[in-house]
Amino acid sequence: MYAVETIELSRVFELKGKSILALDDVNIRIGKGEILGLLGANGAGKTTLVKILSTLLLPSKGSSYIHGHDVVKEAKQVRRIINLVSGGETPGYGMLTVRENLWFFSQLYGLSSSTARERIEMLIRDMELEQYRDVRMHRLSTGYKQRLNLARGFINDPKVLFLDEPTLGLDVINAKHMRKYIREWVNADKTRTILLTTHYLAEAEEVCDKIAIIYKGRIVAYESPSALKSSLSNGVSINVEIFSDPTAIASRNSMVEKISRSSGVLACMLEPSGSDNGYHDYMVKHEGGSYSNGRYDGSISSDGLTRVRIILDDDSKIPDLVSTLVLNGYKVLSVRKDQPTLEDVYMRYIGMREG
Amino acid sequence: MDREGVIRAVVQGVWLGWKVESNWTNPFVFLTYLIAKPIASVILVGLVFVIGSTASSIQGSREDLFFYTFTGAVFFIYPATIVISLAYLVHEDRAKYEVLKHVYITPSSIQTYIIGRGVASAINASVSVAVSLLVGSIIFSNYFALNLPISASSVDYLTLLSSIPLGVAAFISLGMVLYSINLVTFKLQYSLSEYTTGILFLLSGVVFPPKMLPYPISFIGEVLPTTHFLNVVRSSLLGYNAHESMAYLLLSTILTIAVALIFMRRMESIARVKGTIDRKAEY
């Protein structure tokens, strides 16, 4: 029996006479003791899946099970063993203290007074909320509110915990603390399971045993992080350093487009130099030969160099690519072959499916 | 800013004011509210006047009429408080505190949670009723020479105290119905409770007996648990036999509970289909 199983799960939303397919025949199986990372862009269907599995939403088609209990027909049994934490949301009543909020939810989960007291103290300690125990929730900082949110999620010691972008809006330290706790929580009891939705690739790689990439409601890849990376074994990732004006965003966008249209290029990611708030521009080639571009967040370089990460279908195409860049007037400073990263995998799968 | 700019700003102010005042709802829905509310108020005032002017032939004496309207208004605090608080509950928990979904996914049924919240409102209402009864009777007795024909020794305390939990159960069920409607909608949280308490006030014998209303409106008044609750309260305060009213109260309460539970189950299912349990208000 799987901790979480979905079979051809689909969900259609009707919006002003239009049908929007949010989930399309999703099949996932998460074993006990596993952390599955569900990766996808905004609107890909991550939250819809979590809502269905946490009994908040009914599917349009298909079935889903938590520890063998049908999520639709046996919602009560499912609710006994699950909990849900959503990032960036209010974790309770603002005028109640940290302890009172946790107590309120512990009672809704039917915990005895002694168990509730013990667990609340443990969670307050684990989440490093000791000094805020009797502080009203509305006085907490975003990071500590999210710690309280996470503590609420663990209050019933769920068998399956849904974490919907739990580190959204958190600083590096709080996010790191949260990821560490999540990993340790599952390791401590191998009957526990987590479904973590995120669009932070590094987070998924650090915490998850398996990763599912969801795109436009469909699971397009479902493997361990290492298996996903090796799925790019036919391709090659290269890092190219090009000297350019760091403020000339339009010129860099044009560079991305030129690279993407070169022979053998599957995807191209541009790491900017600080002028555009840490967002990467990218362009991917689709199966039909079309292109699409977009942005996602990443690290910032401020040394005047533009670093481009390119996924090629074959390393024999590297000389042609460099020639194209030089012919277009770019100063190529270095070309370095690299191990595929999860970002490459993500870009590749999104690109393949969108066409 | 030039004249055109000022006009543009004023127009935008009017437009936004209309949107906010109408609670962002459909203009047609808001127009019905704009029309229905004053009409209901005017009718209510008119009815109170008609009944007041013919009170002696209906109630027997000025004191009897005072007792009827005073106890009606005081004990109507129970349904008004409970129904309004439960109708607002969805809005508060879903949009303001954002905890509804977390409450909903606990193994405790949402009905149990609502009952708890309803009981809290009932306790608050009890304090209000007790204070209003005491202070109101003192003020009317001392300043208007209107005495309540209640004798502490003749009050049927057992019936009175039994009627309150029974009435509270019925009002929580009514509140559950409004809660359910608000669970699948977003813009009715204020108007729905206003409408409902207004209708209950008009039809439940708060200031005049429902039988004075034209049929079939009077029939609706006769089946409402609020009507029977007030009848039992009045009878028990006067020490009259309230068995018949109590039986009607029991019956109407059971009926209201059954309807509320069925209705709520259906609305919950619709909410899960529509995905409205955790959807933020569309403001």
Side-chain angles (χ1 to χ4, degrees), chain A residues 187-208:
Chain A
N187 288 345
D189 181 347
K190 285 296 181 186
T191 64
R192 292 166 174 167
T193 304
I194 287 179
L195 172 59
L196 167 83
T197 80
T198 182
H199 44 226
Y200 300 127
L201 300 159
E203 181 168 282
E205 192 166 10
E206 182 184 334
V207 175
C208 302

PDB file of all heavy atoms in Angstrom, chain A residues 187-208:
ATOM      1  N   ASN A 187      13.011  11.108   8.381  1.00  0.00           N
ATOM      2  CA  ASN A 187      14.030  10.118   8.726  1.00  0.00           C
ATOM      3  C   ASN A 187      13.758   9.466  10.083  1.00  0.00           C
ATOM      4  O   ASN A 187      14.109   8.313  10.307  1.00  0.00           O
ATOM      5  CB  ASN A 187      15.419  10.770   8.743  1.00  0.00           C
ATOM      6  CG  ASN A 187      15.894  11.087   7.335  1.00  0.00           C
ATOM      7  OD1 ASN A 187      15.342  10.595   6.355  1.00  0.00           O
ATOM      8  ND2 ASN A 187      16.902  11.932   7.228  1.00  0.00           N
ATOM      9  N   ALA A 188      13.128  10.225  10.984  1.00  0.00           N
ATOM     10  CA  ALA A 188      12.877   9.709  12.330  1.00  0.00           C
ATOM     11  C   ALA A 188      11.818   8.604  12.352  1.00  0.00           C
ATOM     12  O   ALA A 188      11.764   7.802  13.280  1.00  0.00           O
ATOM     13  CB  ALA A 188      12.434  10.854  13.240  1.00  0.00           C
ATOM     14  N   ASP A 189      10.965   8.560  11.374  1.00  0.00           N
ATOM     15  CA  ASP A 189       9.910   7.546  11.337  1.00  0.00           C
ATOM     16  C   ASP A 189       9.585   7.270   9.866  1.00  0.00           C
ATOM     17  O   ASP A 189       9.019   8.111   9.171  1.00  0.00           O
ATOM     18  CB  ASP A 189       8.661   8.073  12.076  1.00  0.00           C
ATOM     19  CG  ASP A 189       7.535   7.056  12.106  1.00  0.00           C
ATOM     20  OD1 ASP A 189       7.610   6.055  11.362  1.00  0.00           O
ATOM     21  OD2 ASP A 189       6.578   7.264  12.876  1.00  0.00           O
ATOM     22  N   LYS A 190       9.945   6.075   9.439  1.00  0.00           N
ATOM     23  CA  LYS A 190       9.832   5.774   8.015  1.00  0.00           C
ATOM     24  C   LYS A 190       8.394   5.479   7.557  1.00  0.00           C
ATOM     25  O   LYS A 190       8.174   5.048   6.423  1.00  0.00           O
ATOM     26  CB  LYS A 190      10.767   4.610   7.652  1.00  0.00           C
ATOM     27  CG  LYS A 190      12.227   5.035   7.599  1.00  0.00           C
ATOM     28  CD  LYS A 190      12.437   6.048   6.473  1.00  0.00           C
ATOM     29  CE  LYS A 190      13.882   6.501   6.361  1.00  0.00           C
ATOM     30  NZ  LYS A 190      14.047   7.576   5.375  1.00  0.00           N
ATOM     31  N   THR A 191       7.428   5.684   8.461  1.00  0.00           N
ATOM     32  CA  THR A 191       6.043   5.567   7.991  1.00  0.00           C
ATOM     33  C   THR A 191       5.502   6.943   7.598  1.00  0.00           C
ATOM     34  O   THR A 191       4.390   7.070   7.129  1.00  0.00           O
ATOM     35  CB  THR A 191       5.118   4.960   9.071  1.00  0.00           C
ATOM     36  OG1 THR A 191       5.081   5.858  10.189  1.00  0.00           O
ATOM     37  CG2 THR A 191       5.585   3.596   9.510  1.00  0.00           C
ATOM     38  N   ARG A 192       6.315   7.964   7.860  1.00  0.00           N
ATOM     39  CA  ARG A 192       5.882   9.321   7.521  1.00  0.00           C
ATOM     40  C   ARG A 192       6.212   9.651   6.059  1.00  0.00           C
ATOM     41  O   ARG A 192       7.216   9.168   5.533  1.00  0.00           O
ATOM     42  CB  ARG A 192       6.580  10.335   8.422  1.00  0.00           C
ATOM     43  CG  ARG A 192       6.156  10.251   9.867  1.00  0.00           C
ATOM     44  CD  ARG A 192       7.114  11.030  10.735  1.00  0.00           C
ATOM     45  NE  ARG A 192       6.679  11.113  12.116  1.00  0.00           N
ATOM     46  CZ  ARG A 192       7.451  11.531  13.108  1.00  0.00           C
ATOM     47  NH1 ARG A 192       8.708  11.891  12.871  1.00  0.00           N
ATOM     48  NH2 ARG A 192       6.983  11.584  14.340  1.00  0.00           N
ATOM     49  N   THR A 193       5.376  10.480   5.485  1.00  0.00           N
ATOM     50  CA  THR A 193       5.543  10.825   4.068  1.00  0.00           C
ATOM     51  C   THR A 193       5.260  12.307   3.869  1.00  0.00           C
ATOM     52  O   THR A 193       4.392  12.858   4.541  1.00  0.00           O
ATOM     53  CB  THR A 193       4.546   9.999   3.214  1.00  0.00           C
ATOM     54  OG1 THR A 193       4.750   8.620   3.488  1.00  0.00           O
ATOM     55  CG2 THR A 193       4.714  10.253   1.729  1.00  0.00           C
ATOM     56  N   ILE A 194       5.991  12.889   2.942  1.00  0.00           N
ATOM     57  CA  ILE A 194       5.734  14.305   2.641  1.00  0.00           C
ATOM     58  C   ILE A 194       5.586  14.498   1.130  1.00  0.00           C
ATOM     59  O   ILE A 194       6.337  13.928   0.338  1.00  0.00           O
ATOM     60  CB  ILE A 194       6.885  15.201   3.172  1.00  0.00           C
ATOM     61  CG1 ILE A 194       6.824  15.294   4.705  1.00  0.00           C
ATOM     62  CG2 ILE A 194       6.816  16.597   2.570  1.00  0.00           C
ATOM     63  CD1 ILE A 194       7.925  16.121   5.335  1.00  0.00           C
ATOM     64  N   LEU A 195       4.590  15.274   0.772  1.00  0.00           N
ATOM     65  CA  LEU A 195       4.484  15.755  -0.602  1.00  0.00           C
ATOM     66  C   LEU A 195       4.769  17.253  -0.548  1.00  0.00           C
ATOM     67  O   LEU A 195       4.019  18.012   0.075  1.00  0.00           O
ATOM     68  CB  LEU A 195       3.083  15.489  -1.175  1.00  0.00           C
ATOM     69  CG  LEU A 195       2.777  16.119  -2.537  1.00  0.00           C
ATOM     70  CD1 LEU A 195       3.751  15.638  -3.597  1.00  0.00           C
ATOM     71  CD2 LEU A 195       1.365  15.779  -2.988  1.00  0.00           C
ATOM     72  N   LEU A 196       5.858  17.630  -1.160  1.00  0.00           N
ATOM     73  CA  LEU A 196       6.326  19.021  -1.084  1.00  0.00           C
ATOM     74  C   LEU A 196       6.212  19.674  -2.457  1.00  0.00           C
ATOM     75  O   LEU A 196       6.799  19.194  -3.417  1.00  0.00           O
ATOM     76  CB  LEU A 196       7.793  19.022  -0.623  1.00  0.00           C
ATOM     77  CG  LEU A 196       8.580  20.316  -0.746  1.00  0.00           C
ATOM     78  CD1 LEU A 196       8.299  21.217   0.439  1.00  0.00           C
ATOM     79  CD2 LEU A 196      10.077  20.037  -0.793  1.00  0.00           C
ATOM     80  N   THR A 197       5.432  20.726  -2.535  1.00  0.00           N
ATOM     81  CA  THR A 197       5.393  21.450  -3.807  1.00  0.00           C
ATOM     82  C   THR A 197       6.316  22.652  -3.702  1.00  0.00           C
ATOM     83  O   THR A 197       6.399  23.290  -2.659  1.00  0.00           O
ATOM     84  CB  THR A 197       3.978  21.951  -4.173  1.00  0.00           C
ATOM     85  OG1 THR A 197       3.704  23.142  -3.443  1.00  0.00           O
ATOM     86  CG2 THR A 197       2.919  20.914  -3.900  1.00  0.00           C
ATOM     87  N   THR A 198       7.009  22.895  -4.757  1.00  0.00           N
ATOM     88  CA  THR A 198       7.951  24.023  -4.750  1.00  0.00           C
ATOM     89  C   THR A 198       8.278  24.427  -6.170  1.00  0.00           C
ATOM     90  O   THR A 198       8.058  23.662  -7.110  1.00  0.00           O
ATOM     91  CB  THR A 198       9.247  23.651  -3.993  1.00  0.00           C
ATOM     92  OG1 THR A 198      10.112  24.777  -3.960  1.00  0.00           O
ATOM     93  CG2 THR A 198       9.969  22.476  -4.622  1.00  0.00           C
ATOM     94  N   HIS A 199       8.751  25.651  -6.339  1.00  0.00           N
ATOM     95  CA  HIS A 199       9.371  25.931  -7.627  1.00  0.00           C
ATOM     96  C   HIS A 199      10.844  26.285  -7.434  1.00  0.00           C
ATOM     97  O   HIS A 199      11.468  26.831  -8.311  1.00  0.00           O
ATOM     98  CB  HIS A 199       8.606  26.965  -8.464  1.00  0.00           C
ATOM     99  CG  HIS A 199       8.133  28.153  -7.716  1.00  0.00           C
ATOM    100  ND1 HIS A 199       6.855  28.630  -7.865  1.00  0.00           N
ATOM    101  CD2 HIS A 199       8.704  28.922  -6.790  1.00  0.00           C
ATOM    102  CE1 HIS A 199       6.698  29.676  -7.081  1.00  0.00           C
ATOM    103  NE2 HIS A 199       7.805  29.867  -6.425  1.00  0.00           N
ATOM    104  N   TYR A 200      11.349  25.950  -6.220  1.00  0.00           N
ATOM    105  CA  TYR A 200      12.783  26.102  -5.988  1.00  0.00           C
ATOM    106  C   TYR A 200      13.447  24.752  -6.264  1.00  0.00           C
ATOM    107  O   TYR A 200      13.280  23.791  -5.506  1.00  0.00           O
ATOM    108  CB  TYR A 200      13.065  26.530  -4.551  1.00  0.00           C
ATOM    109  CG  TYR A 200      12.429  27.849  -4.186  1.00  0.00           C
ATOM    110  CD1 TYR A 200      11.623  27.972  -3.070  1.00  0.00           C
ATOM    111  CD2 TYR A 200      12.645  28.981  -4.970  1.00  0.00           C
ATOM    112  CE1 TYR A 200      11.040  29.183  -2.738  1.00  0.00           C
ATOM    113  CE2 TYR A 200      12.067  30.192  -4.649  1.00  0.00           C
ATOM    114  CZ  TYR A 200      11.267  30.292  -3.527  1.00  0.00           C
ATOM    115  OH  TYR A 200      10.681  31.486  -3.203  1.00  0.00           O
ATOM    116  N   LEU A 201      14.202  24.695  -7.335  1.00  0.00           N
ATOM    117  CA  LEU A 201      14.816  23.437  -7.736  1.00  0.00           C
ATOM    118  C   LEU A 201      15.824  22.944  -6.707  1.00  0.00           C
ATOM    119  O   LEU A 201      15.890  21.756  -6.403  1.00  0.00           O
ATOM    120  CB  LEU A 201      15.499  23.621  -9.088  1.00  0.00           C
ATOM    121  CG  LEU A 201      14.546  24.048 -10.204  1.00  0.00           C
ATOM    122  CD1 LEU A 201      15.296  24.692 -11.346  1.00  0.00           C
ATOM    123  CD2 LEU A 201      13.777  22.857 -10.704  1.00  0.00           C
ATOM    124  N   ALA A 202      16.582  23.871  -6.144  1.00  0.00           N
ATOM    125  CA  ALA A 202      17.593  23.484  -5.154  1.00  0.00           C
ATOM    126  C   ALA A 202      16.924  22.873  -3.927  1.00  0.00           C
ATOM    127  O   ALA A 202      17.441  21.917  -3.340  1.00  0.00           O
ATOM    128  CB  ALA A 202      18.410  24.705  -4.761  1.00  0.00           C
ATOM    129  N   GLU A 203      15.782  23.420  -3.563  1.00  0.00           N
ATOM    130  CA  GLU A 203      15.050  22.899  -2.403  1.00  0.00           C
ATOM    131  C   GLU A 203      14.620  21.452  -2.656  1.00  0.00           C
ATOM    132  O   GLU A 203      14.790  20.577  -1.810  1.00  0.00           O
ATOM    133  CB  GLU A 203      13.824  23.778  -2.167  1.00  0.00           C
ATOM    134  CG  GLU A 203      12.986  23.356  -0.987  1.00  0.00           C
ATOM    135  CD  GLU A 203      11.971  24.441  -0.640  1.00  0.00           C
ATOM    136  OE1 GLU A 203      12.382  25.428  -0.021  1.00  0.00           O
ATOM    137  OE2 GLU A 203      10.797  24.290  -0.999  1.00  0.00           O
ATOM    138  N   ALA A 204      14.091  21.221  -3.845  1.00  0.00           N
ATOM    139  CA  ALA A 204      13.633  19.873  -4.189  1.00  0.00           C
ATOM    140  C   ALA A 204      14.815  18.897  -4.189  1.00  0.00           C
ATOM    141  O   ALA A 204      14.725  17.783  -3.679  1.00  0.00           O
ATOM    142  CB  ALA A 204      12.971  19.891  -5.550  1.00  0.00           C
ATOM    143  N   GLU A 205      15.925  19.342  -4.736  1.00  0.00           N
ATOM    144  CA  GLU A 205      17.112  18.481  -4.820  1.00  0.00           C
ATOM    145  C   GLU A 205      17.657  18.167  -3.427  1.00  0.00           C
ATOM    146  O   GLU A 205      18.085  17.046  -3.160  1.00  0.00           O
ATOM    147  CB  GLU A 205      18.183  19.176  -5.666  1.00  0.00           C
ATOM    148  CG  GLU A 205      19.314  18.250  -6.055  1.00  0.00           C
ATOM    149  CD  GLU A 205      20.174  18.859  -7.153  1.00  0.00           C
ATOM    150  OE1 GLU A 205      20.003  20.050  -7.459  1.00  0.00           O
ATOM    151  OE2 GLU A 205      21.013  18.121  -7.695  1.00  0.00           O
ATOM    152  N   GLU A 206      17.606  19.152  -2.549  1.00  0.00           N
ATOM    153  CA  GLU A 206      18.179  18.984  -1.204  1.00  0.00           C
ATOM    154  C   GLU A 206      17.333  18.057  -0.339  1.00  0.00           C
ATOM    155  O   GLU A 206      17.857  17.254   0.430  1.00  0.00           O
ATOM    156  CB  GLU A 206      18.289  20.363  -0.526  1.00  0.00           C
ATOM    157  CG  GLU A 206      18.922  20.319   0.851  1.00  0.00           C
ATOM    158  CD  GLU A 206      18.931  21.689   1.514  1.00  0.00           C
ATOM    159  OE1 GLU A 206      18.915  22.715   0.804  1.00  0.00           O
ATOM    160  OE2 GLU A 206      18.935  21.728   2.762  1.00  0.00           O
ATOM    161  N   VAL A 207      16.020  18.162  -0.473  1.00  0.00           N
ATOM    162  CA  VAL A 207      15.129  17.506   0.487  1.00  0.00           C
ATOM    163  C   VAL A 207      14.498  16.219  -0.037  1.00  0.00           C
ATOM    164  O   VAL A 207      14.260  15.284   0.728  1.00  0.00           O
ATOM    165  CB  VAL A 207      14.009  18.510   0.893  1.00  0.00           C
ATOM    166  CG1 VAL A 207      12.983  17.852   1.786  1.00  0.00           C
ATOM    167  CG2 VAL A 207      14.596  19.721   1.582  1.00  0.00           C
ATOM    168  N   CYS A 208      14.244  16.161  -1.342  1.00  0.00           N
ATOM    169  CA  CYS A 208      13.331  15.122  -1.836  1.00  0.00           C
ATOM    170  C   CYS A 208      14.031  13.832  -2.276  1.00  0.00           C
ATOM    171  O   CYS A 208      15.135  13.865  -2.812  1.00  0.00           O
ATOM    172  CB  CYS A 208      12.519  15.665  -2.997  1.00  0.00           C
ATOM    173  SG  CYS A 208      11.573  17.115  -2.528  1.00  0.00           S
TER     174      CYS A 208
END
